[in-house]
């Protein structure tokens, strides 16, 4: 459990830092962050606090889906947005397309590693992932359809509110799945298998 908790919070913190890198790159965000950024333009809260608040609201949607949160779910709501805001305080805005492109690529790669870390800890999905899996279980729809539907919806709403859609949005969409697939086996903590008991003949 100690290793799981350390890996969980390391992953969540890195996830928030990777989001800050993509924000500073200003080349486009993943669908949920387009939504968070668009909402931030109309609400008097920081980007990170809106990430946390949105996670809490999405968590309420688990109730009719009969989803049960884990330690990782609650930690997700409290940690990622807070880390985004803290990272933004020390990460300066940059000029120059080359530097911003490097920040974007680094942010996407670190996001994939971070996702593998906290998923691999096995302490519960994030609120948004849990919403997806809960809808799949309750409706019987294919996971690809549900995930695409949710992300297109929040992307469209965020864009209409002023969120940044661009190259980063496309890069994230194509890269994040393969990145998590590569790194997840490295960070998945297996459940302990009981030692076989020797039986004397």
């Amino acid at each position: 459990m100690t290793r799981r908790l350390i890996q969980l919070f390391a992953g969540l913190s890195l996830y928030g830092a990777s989001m800050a890198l993509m924000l500073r790159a200003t080349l486009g965000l993943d669908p949920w962050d387009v939504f968070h950024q668009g909402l931030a333009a109309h609400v008097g809260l920081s980007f990170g606090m809106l990430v946390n608040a949105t996670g809490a609201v999405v968590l309420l949607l688990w109730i009719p889906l009969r989803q049960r949160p884990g330690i990782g779910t609650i930690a997700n709501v409290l940690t990622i947005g807070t880390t985004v805001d803290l990272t933004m305080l020390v990460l300066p805005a940059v000029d120059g397309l080359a530097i911003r492109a490097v920040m974007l690529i680094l942010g996407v790669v670190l996001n994939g590693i971070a996702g593998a870390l906290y998923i691999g800890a096995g302490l519960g999905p994030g609120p948004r992932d849990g919403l997806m899996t809960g809808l799949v279980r309750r409706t019987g729809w294919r996971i690809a359809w549900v995930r695409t539907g949710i992300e297109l919806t929040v992307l469209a709403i965020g864009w209409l509110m002023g969120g940044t859609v661009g190259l980063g949005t496309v890069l994230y969409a194509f890269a994040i799945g393969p990145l998590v697939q590569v790194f997840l086996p490295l960070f998945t903590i297996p459940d302990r298998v009981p030692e076989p008991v020797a039986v004397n003949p």
Side-chain angles (χ1 to χ4, degrees):
M1 180 57 73
T2 300
R3 179 187 167 189
R4 289 181 188 275
L5 288 171
I6 291 171
Q7 182 171 309
L8 170 69
F9 283 100
L12 294 175
S13 299
L14 183 60
Y15 201 97
S18 70
M19 288 166 59
L21 280 167
M22 289 186 280
L23 278 167
R24 287 297 192 211
T26 65
L27 291 172
L29 303 168
D30 69 271
W32 275 104
D33 285 343
V34 172
F35 175 79
H36 298 139
Q37 188 183 49
L39 189 60
H42 301 276
V43 178
L45 292 174
S46 67
F47 180 93
M49 289 303 98
L50 280 172
V51 171
N52 289 351
T54 302
V57 171
V58 171
L59 194 56
L60 294 177
L61 298 178
W62 284 30
I63 297 173
L65 298 175
R66 297 180 182 175
Q67 283 277 93
R68 292 184 179 181
I71 297 171
T73 310
I74 305 303
N76 186 299
V77 173
L78 299 174
T79 305
I80 291 181
T82 305
T83 307
V84 173
D85 280 352
L86 292 174
T87 306
M88 292 290 284
L89 289 175
V90 299
L91 188 66
V94 295
D95 294 319
L97 181 59
I99 298 175
R100 289 161 55 210
V102 170
M103 291 179 72
L104 171 64
I105 294 169
L106 183 60
V108 172
V109 172
L110 290 178
N111 195 272
I113 295 171
L117 279 166
Y118 86 75
I119 293 170
L123 292 174
R128 297 156 187 82
D129 289 335
L131 174 64
M132 174 188 66
T133 56
L135 284 170
V136 168
R137 194 182 71 252
R138 297 288 288 177
T139 63
W141 297 339
R142 294 180 62 182
I143 192 167
W145 296 349
V146 173
R147 177 162 187 162
T148 300
I150 292 173
E151 296 204 348
L152 286 177
T153 299
V154 296
L155 177 64
I157 295 171
W159 177 70
L160 290 172
M161 292 191 297
T164 305
V165 177
L167 175 63
T169 311
V170 177
L171 177 63
Y172 189 93
F174 281 99
I176 195 63
L179 283 169
V180 173
Q181 184 174 347
V182 167
F183 290 112
L184 188 56
L186 301 177
F187 299 120
T188 297
I189 301 174
D191 292 329
R192 181 176 295 175
V193 178
E195 293 285 340
V197 178
V199 178
N200 293 324

